[in-house]
Amino acid sequence: MIEAIKEAWGWAGIDPAEIVGENDFGNLIIKDTGGKYWRLCPEEVYCKVIAKSREDLDALSHSKEFLTDWYMSSLVEVAKETLGDLPKERKYCLKLPSILGGEYNANNIGTISQQELISFSGYLAKEIKDLPDGAKIEFSFVE
């Protein structure tokens, strides 16, 4: 998984060393080779530093706001009611990421392999990183 993160998100500046946390929607907390902690959030299509040290991460883990966002309990409950328990090696996901207008509801939830989720979100983030808010985009699917 570290190699998938490097390949998909290395352009964002992360040099991953270890995955220290994950949730049912494929979000990861990753320690980099410099000791910083990043959150990879596929549904919001970002990978950014959330703590500069283990102490900072421990402090963040006491934040009710962070924990509510991290565990996504309400959305996980909707996903389980709609799709059942997660198959091995898969994560829940938004079929259309929220950054592209996808809604956090049962009609927009599916499952995907963790590696595909990391790859797709990293690719998408790189492609849209310089676009202004509200820009129109067009997808082309090729085989």
Side-chain angles (χ1 to χ4, degrees), residues 52-104:
K52 294 182 180 179
S53 67
R54 182 63 201 208
E55 294 78 24
D56 290 348
L57 182 64
D58 290 344
L60 189 60
S61 73
H62 290 35
S63 162
K64 184 178 179 180
E65 181 180 344
F66 174 78
L67 293 174
T68 298
D69 185 53
W70 173 255
Y71 286 110
M72 304 169 75
S73 300
S74 299
L75 196 59
V76 169
E77 187 176 314
V78 169
K80 284 184 179 184
E81 288 173 5
T82 305
L83 301 169
D85 290 331
L86 277 170
K88 188 177 181 180
E89 304 297 322
R90 294 187 74 80
K91 297 293 183 181
Y92 297 119
C93 67
L94 295 184
K95 294 174 187 176
L96 183 63
S98 66
I99 197 165
L100 299 179
E103 296 182 13
Y104 286 87

Side-chain angles (χ1 to χ4, degrees), residues 16-136:
E18 176 186 5
I19 297 170
V20 297
E22 66 181 84
N23 71 19
D24 286 344
F25 269 82
N27 284 228
L28 300 174
I29 296 177
I30 306 155
K31 181 179 180 182
D32 74 11
T33 56
K36 292 182 283 200
Y37 293 84
W38 298 64
R39 180 173 179 179
L40 194 161
C41 183
E43 73 277 359
E44 297 284 336
V45 193
Y46 70 74
C47 186
K48 63 183 179 184
V49 174
I50 58 168
K52 294 182 180 179
S53 67
R54 182 63 201 208
E55 294 78 24
D56 290 348
L57 182 64
D58 290 344
L60 189 60
S61 73
H62 290 35
S63 162
K64 184 178 179 180
E65 181 180 344
F66 174 78
L67 293 174
T68 298
D69 185 53
W70 173 255
Y71 286 110
M72 304 169 75
S73 300
S74 299
L75 196 59
V76 169
E77 187 176 314
V78 169
K80 284 184 179 184
E81 288 173 5
T82 305
L83 301 169
D85 290 331
L86 277 170
K88 188 177 181 180
E89 304 297 322
R90 294 187 74 80
K91 297 293 183 181
Y92 297 119
C93 67
L94 295 184
K95 294 174 187 176
L96 183 63
S98 66
I99 197 165
L100 299 179
E103 296 182 13
Y104 286 87
N105 63 37
N107 294 329
N108 193 36
I109 298 174
T111 67
I112 190 171
S113 78
Q114 179 79 54
Q115 188 158 348
E116 288 175 305
L117 187 57
I118 289 168
S119 296
F120 175 73
S121 62
Y123 172 78
L124 178 60
K126 186 176 181 183
E127 290 297 308
I128 66 172
K129 68 181 174 50
D130 296 324
L131 295 177
D133 287 348
K136 298 216 183 273

